[in-house]
């Protein structure tokens, strides 16, 4: 499943892992929602979380949040 959802991946000095937040899912899923030992692993886990929740919400007939688009304005 291709998704256009945002992911914020940040390093945690306390946990010594990369933490993943999905802005569109805030208020619906506990954040950070996943993690990884490497940036790549965290991104992969983030994609898996997005796909899993979209499938669950669709099966349960719940509303699905729209992906946010970043709009850049030329200076």
């Amino acid at each position: 499943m291709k998704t256009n959802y945002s992911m914020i991946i940040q390093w945690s000095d306390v946990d010594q892992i990369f933490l993943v937040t999905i802005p569109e899912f805030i208020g619906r899923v506990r954040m950070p929602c996943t993690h990884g030992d490497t940036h790549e692993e965290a991104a992969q886990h983030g994609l898996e979380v997005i796909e899993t929740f979209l499938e669950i919400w669709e099966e349960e007939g719940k509303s699905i949040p729209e992906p946010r688009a970043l709009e850049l304005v030329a200076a």
Side-chain angles (χ1 to χ4, degrees):
M1 173 184 289
K2 183 177 182 281
T3 65
N4 294 329
Y5 289 88
S6 307
M7 270 192 281
I8 299 171
I9 302 173
Q10 297 172 297
W11 176 252
S12 170
D13 281 334
V14 173
D15 301 309
Q16 294 293 297
I17 56 175
F18 289 93
L19 300 175
V20 180
T21 301
I22 302 166
E24 292 92 337
F25 290 7
I26 291 174
R28 298 181 75 154
V29 176
R30 185 174 175 196
M31 296 295 159
C33 62
T34 191
H35 65 277
D37 291 327
T38 65
H39 193 276
E40 292 78 14
E41 184 179 79
Q44 182 60 42
H45 290 173
L47 289 173
E48 292 167 2
V49 166
I50 291 169
E51 290 177 359
T52 298
F53 275 100
L54 292 178
E55 288 173 11
I56 290 169
W57 292 332
E58 185 174 25
E59 288 173 10
E60 294 178 350
K62 293 185 177 178
S63 65
I64 295 175
E66 290 292 322
R68 296 181 188 166
L70 177 63
E71 295 182 27
L72 299 177
V73 179

